[in-house]
């Protein structure tokens, strides 16, 4: 039994897709979330900058003495996971492997679509992980740099003409490649799930990388004897690097609970 919290981070709101699932399947665990809203989006940045930001994000979360850290960000998972794992003596989990396992399992025709940020697609990490699990799988990958700003600005609902137009343009090649599975390779994208699902159609399975990662983390903590056996609901605290208002409003809608009282602003450059 280990009552220390689990640290989770992303560039902004996206990692809440992992938080929601972590809270659902491990309600007794304390969660500390950091969203780097002052520096979002991460997806167009160079590897050097991403590693620098990720190190600061981890250093901040480590001030809470976490038992594990979840990189609830496709961009950091594809670019800096190995660096962070090598530098830290606690488990650091990324989203790529769990998402690849789920996709290899779900696809029937071996044609998988992948959408992510520029940095994630450039890394080739999802293709590599998927190819190792299911040799011969055909991946159609698209970088979608406009999707994160849409989500961060609350423009992700069905009927939003801008979101629908942008999603259709990015996904057209994936649809025409005949993919039966689509990896939402950035943790922000499940907030556009209904728009993406409506465009791809009901025959295409959408793989939410944050959700898959959360399930993987639960198993890993169980195997390592690190679960919190304490009865009662875990506490959730949220930190951001820009003002708290926008984050609180959008996070409360997404998590379906009022989180405003639990959100604080910090200076991430101090870590
Ligand atoms: N949600 C993150 C990801 O999964 C970061 C997106 C961004 O900041 O560009 O890639």
């Amino acid at each position: 039994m280990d009552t220390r919290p689990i640290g989770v981070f992303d560039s902004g709101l996206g990692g809440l897709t992992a938080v929601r699932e972590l809270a659902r399947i491990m309600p007794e665990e304390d969660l500390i979330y950091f969203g780097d809203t002052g520096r979002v989006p991460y997806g167009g940045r160079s590897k050097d900058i991403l590693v620098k930001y990720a190190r600061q994000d981890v250093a901040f979360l480590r001030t809470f003495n976490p038992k594990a850290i979840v990189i609830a960000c496709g961009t950091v998972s594809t670019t800096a996971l190995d660096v962070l794992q090598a530098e830290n003596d606690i488990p650091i989990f990324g989203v790529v492997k769990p998402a690849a396992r789920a996709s290899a399992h779900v696809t029937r025709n071996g044609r998988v679509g992948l959408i992510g940020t520029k940095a994630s697609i450039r890394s080739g990490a999802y293709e590599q992980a998927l190819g190792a699990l299911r040799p011969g799988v055909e991946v159609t990958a698209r970088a979608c740099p406009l999707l994160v700003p849409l989500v961060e600005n609350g423009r992700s609902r069905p009927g939003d003409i801008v979101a629908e137009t942008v999603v259709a343009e990015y996904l057209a090649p994936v649809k025409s490649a005949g993919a039966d599975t689509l990896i939402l390779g950035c943790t922000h994208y499940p907030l556009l799930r209904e728009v993406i699902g409506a465009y791809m159609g009901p025959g295409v399975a959408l793989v939410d990388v944050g959700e898959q990662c959360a399930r993987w983390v639960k198993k890993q903590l169980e195997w390592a004897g690190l679960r919190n056996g304490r009865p009662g609901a875990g506490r959730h605290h949220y930190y951001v690097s820009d003002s708290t208002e926008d984050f609180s409003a959008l996070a409360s809608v997404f998590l379906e609970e009022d989180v405003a009282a639990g959100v604080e602003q910090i200076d991430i450059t101090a870590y």
Side-chain angles (χ1 to χ4, degrees):
M1 157 146 156
D2 191 325
T3 57
R4 289 176 296 166
I6 301 170
V8 185
F9 74 94
D10 178 44
S11 60
L13 280 167
L16 296 178
T17 54
V19 165
R20 186 163 74 171
E21 185 67 1
L22 286 166
R24 191 184 72 78
I25 61 179
M26 295 189 285
E28 68 292 346
E29 298 288 350
D30 290 340
L31 302 175
I32 307 284
Y33 184 78
F34 174 62
D36 198 0
T37 52
R39 303 191 292 199
V40 67
Y42 277 10
R45 300 188 192 274
S46 67
K47 178 165 180 160
D48 286 352
I49 291 289
L50 287 169
V51 169
K52 177 181 156 190
Y53 287 0
R55 281 183 171 136
Q56 289 178 318
D57 301 344
V58 168
F60 168 66
L61 287 173
R62 290 213 64 170
T63 63
F64 297 92
N65 188 28
K67 60 186 167 192
I69 289 181
V70 179
I71 308 173
C73 174
T75 304
V76 175
S77 299
T78 54
T79 313
L81 174 66
D82 47 351
V83 176
L84 297 177
Q85 284 178 332
E87 291 175 353
N88 286 279
D89 56 1
I90 55 170
I92 309 274
F93 300 107
V95 300
V96 175
K97 212 166 154 185
R101 283 164 63 103
S103 312
H105 183 69
V106 164
T107 182
R108 296 170 307 281
N109 69 7
R111 283 186 224 144
V112 174
L114 166 66
I115 53 174
T117 64
K118 275 188 183 165
S120 292
I121 301 303
R122 182 179 63 212
S123 76
Y126 284 106
E127 289 95 323
Q128 221 178 340
L130 200 49
L133 291 163
R134 183 146 171 184
V137 72
E138 218 176 275
V139 180
T140 305
R142 292 280 281 155
C144 306
L146 294 177
L147 297 188
V148 169
L150 280 174
V151 169
E152 289 287 330
N153 287 287
R155 300 290 302 268
S156 53
R157 301 297 307 151
D160 186 312
I161 187 73
V162 178
E164 289 179 350
T165 305
V166 172
V167 162
E169 185 179 320
Y170 283 140
L171 286 174
V174 178
K175 197 170 180 175
S176 51
D180 70 353
T181 304
L182 175 63
I183 303 176
L184 307 180
C186 166
T187 52
H188 278 74
Y189 299 171
L191 284 98
L192 284 155
R193 187 180 193 110
E194 287 172 74
V195 176
I196 293 171
Y199 179 75
M200 293 304 290
V204 177
L206 304 183
V207 175
D208 174 333
V209 300
E211 185 180 271
Q212 294 304 328
C213 180
R215 294 178 193 170
W216 170 262
V217 168
K218 182 181 180 197
K219 279 193 202 133
Q220 298 298 315
L221 294 181
E222 270 160 12
W223 283 331
L226 291 175
R227 287 293 307 280
N228 183 353
R230 189 188 55 196
R235 287 157 300 187
H236 301 164
H237 211 91
Y238 304 86
Y239 295 87
V240 289
S241 52
D242 202 341
S243 68
T244 57
E245 287 79 26
D246 286 353
F247 179 88
S248 299
L250 291 168
S252 298
V253 172
F254 180 69
L255 295 170
E256 293 170 347
E257 66 176 84
D258 186 7
V259 301
V263 184
E264 271 175 62
Q265 184 176 354
I266 56 120
D267 176 11
I268 192 64
T269 61
Y271 293 88

